[in-house]
Amino acid sequence: MSTTLLERIPATAQDILSLNFDGSKLLIQFLNRWEAYAEVLACLDYLSADLVTWQDERARALAGLGRTAEAVSIMRARLAKKESATARNILTAICLQAGLADETWALIEPQLNEAVGAPWSRAGEVALLKGDLDTAERHFLHHQQIAPSSRDPAVGLAHVYQRRGDIVTAVAYAVRAIAPEGLYPPSVEHLKRLRDFFAAVRDENHLADVQAELIRRFDEELQHVRGLFAVGGAAAEV
């Protein structure tokens, strides 16, 4: 029988009650980030369903389990009560993950005139879903122009060129996305997508690099979460 992520801490879902809010949030986000979705739901059963932070994390976990309709319902109810950029971004990510191109576009289109670049990469992802590679490329390049430090455009462009069959250019963009230079390192989500990309194009060397970095990140986060219980829930930053 495989060991659950909570067992590796070790902890039970009920043990979340021993943590303060910040510690609870770090634990839940750790479980969601590493796809322990059923364990997230088990922990959330011990916490207040009225707190928007836990509603957001519940929606993420439900989406991860493929329960998209339930996840969307939670986030739409949250937005109906009060507009929230965080909630809208989570809902957008859920719809995009589920391949709901039209629903995702309806959420991001009003944001495309804003100064920030992230909506343009989401627009590129919608175009990818629809198979419109030229439009996807334009959106990713626009995001790259207005936010050169973002890794999203390079990840998106790697997938555009993979779909075109130009693996050399695709790999070049993917390598740019994992380069150590930049304000921030690649996120775990970036690394997961690039792991799948390098596996798909059979680039064993870069695949090994990404897998090693994911293992390092996981081990680092696991040790941090273990520390939360050791100090009775005092939260430190990851």
Side-chain angles (χ1 to χ4, degrees), residues 80-120:
K81 292 179 182 178
K82 183 179 180 181
E83 178 59 37
S84 161
T86 298
R88 188 166 292 277
N89 286 337
I90 293 170
L91 178 57
T92 300
I94 289 170
C95 290
L96 192 57
Q97 177 185 326
L100 303 174
D102 292 340
E103 290 84 344
T104 305
W105 180 253
L107 289 162
I108 63 175
E109 187 179 18
Q111 304 174 48
L112 293 180
N113 291 325
E114 298 176 3
V116 295
W120 287 101

Side-chain angles (χ1 to χ4, degrees), residues 42-206:
C43 288
L44 289 174
D45 284 343
Y46 290 96
L47 303 175
S48 172
D50 296 329
L51 198 62
V52 294
T53 299
W54 305 144
Q55 292 172 15
D56 294 348
E57 297 302 330
R58 182 178 293 277
R60 286 190 173 109
L62 289 168
L65 291 170
R67 295 161 62 179
T68 304
E70 294 172 75
V72 168
S73 177
I74 289 172
M75 298 316 299
R76 289 206 181 280
R78 173 143 143 60
L79 284 167
K81 292 179 182 178
K82 183 179 180 181
E83 178 59 37
S84 161
T86 298
R88 188 166 292 277
N89 286 337
I90 293 170
L91 178 57
T92 300
I94 289 170
C95 290
L96 192 57
Q97 177 185 326
L100 303 174
D102 292 340
E103 290 84 344
T104 305
W105 180 253
L107 289 162
I108 63 175
E109 187 179 18
Q111 304 174 48
L112 293 180
N113 291 325
E114 298 176 3
V116 295
W120 287 101
S121 273
R122 296 192 192 106
E125 297 291 351
V126 171
L128 270 178
L129 283 175
K130 294 182 174 182
D132 187 346
L133 302 184
D134 290 344
T135 297
E137 182 178 23
R138 285 198 302 273
H139 290 330
F140 289 129
L141 287 173
H142 184 69
H143 185 188
Q144 182 174 269
Q145 181 180 16
I146 61 179
S149 63
S150 175
R151 297 180 188 270
D152 290 339
V155 175
L157 288 163
H159 286 88
V160 168
Y161 279 90
Q162 179 193 10
R163 294 272 290 275
R164 285 176 173 160
D166 184 347
I167 303 304
V168 173
T169 304
V171 168
Y173 275 116
V175 170
R176 184 186 302 181
I178 59 172
E181 297 81 9
L183 293 175
Y184 306 101
S187 67
V188 169
E189 185 57 36
H190 285 139
L191 291 170
K192 288 178 183 177
R193 289 194 66 192
L194 291 165
R195 174 197 59 197
D196 295 343
F197 168 84
F198 287 125
V201 300
R202 300 183 179 180
D203 184 334
E204 299 296 334
N205 291 332
H206 287 112

